[in-house]
Amino acid sequence: MAAAQGRLSDGAGGMDDAKEGDRNANSDAPPLFRAAVDALRAARLRPQIEVEPTRAPQRLAPFSYALEAAVVDGDQDLADGRLVLLHDPDGHDAWRGTFRLVTLVRAELEPEMAADPLLPDVCWSWLTGALQARGLACGEPSGTVTRASSHYFGGLAERPPASQIEIRASWTPREGLGGVPDTAGHLAAWCDLLAQVAGLPPAGPGDASVVTLPQRRGPQSR
């Protein structure tokens, strides 16, 4: 299994983004935040999921750290996403805590599946279910599930219609002993969500209850 710090991006600015993301996790950051980031970096994940540090937003909290991930099959991406850890030592009224996790997950779907009226509720239940399956408590969850469809015309008319599901969410992880949340556990649950949206089979006997997304569109070239 690959460590969560994973490979460095091949895309433009990938190395710079990684260094930028590390700036808020240096020795000037509070010990609680450094410990939470260290746990993210040390997490062991499914080999199909490639995770790397990326540029973190600077205005959402005094301290932040971000990871991006892709569910990979050979040279093709099945799903991708970003997970951001925010920390405000003084606490935040909306969070009701000092830490917050923010995420974006995306995957391509067959148009017929995207048209299912129950799909948004199912996708949201995948997120909450992934956290519950790992025994993780969280507060103040919020988010959106968005379906988007693209139809091509003119010079692009030969392309088949494309549909995408996008999950945006945030939640406050329960702080453990010493005030540090189980960020490695939350990262693992988030990767469970990614794998589920990508249509991967359950990772092991403990994940037998996971229902994968049917009729998802074929892998997308990277």
Side-chain angles (χ1 to χ4, degrees):
M1 290 185 174
Q5 56 194 10
R7 60 176 176 82
L8 289 174
S9 174
D10 296 329
M15 181 68 76
D16 291 340
D17 286 353
K19 291 179 179 178
E20 182 71 23
D22 284 343
R23 288 178 185 170
N24 279 347
N26 61 22
S27 58
D28 296 331
L32 295 182
F33 180 70
R34 296 204 308 270
V37 170
D38 287 344
L40 288 174
R41 290 169 169 165
R44 310 297 290 184
L45 308 171
R46 292 180 64 160
Q48 300 96 331
I49 300 178
E50 297 183 0
V51 182
E52 63 189 19
T54 189
R55 183 183 298 273
Q58 303 298 304
R59 299 180 181 179
L60 298 181
F63 301 94
S64 58
Y65 184 78
L67 296 168
E68 62 181 9
V71 182
V72 178
D73 179 15
D75 62 348
Q76 298 175 314
D77 288 353
L78 303 177
D80 61 71
R82 174 173 293 199
L83 183 69
V84 180
L85 174 68
L86 305 175
H87 178 56
D88 186 339
D90 296 328
H92 195 292
D93 290 341
W95 303 352
R96 297 192 179 181
T98 61
F99 286 91
R100 188 76 171 173
L101 286 163
V102 182
T103 185
L104 164 67
V105 171
R106 299 175 298 191
E108 296 289 326
L109 302 173
E110 290 293 343
E112 295 80 5
M113 186 62 189
D116 187 338
L118 296 179
L119 182 64
D121 299 276
V122 170
C123 288
W124 184 256
S125 73
W126 286 346
L127 170 61
T128 58
L131 294 169
Q132 293 170 1
R134 291 186 177 270
L136 298 168
C138 66
E140 305 305 314
S142 63
T144 62
V145 177
T146 304
R147 293 173 290 188
S149 298
S150 298
H151 298 264
Y152 301 95
F153 303 92
L156 302 176
E158 293 183 358
R159 293 188 183 183
S163 297
Q164 185 181 74
I165 191 74
E166 180 180 276
I167 304 170
R168 294 179 180 266
S170 64
W171 64 93
T172 299
R174 175 176 292 175
E175 299 170 9
L177 295 176
V180 181
D182 181 9
T183 51
H186 284 269
L187 174 59
W190 180 70
C191 287
D192 291 342
L193 171 65
L194 265 176
Q196 196 165 2
V197 170
L200 293 185
D207 298 316
S209 62
V210 172
V211 178
T212 57
L213 181 65
Q215 298 182 347
R216 66 165 307 283
R217 182 171 295 278
Q220 303 300 299
S221 296
R222 302 178 70 185

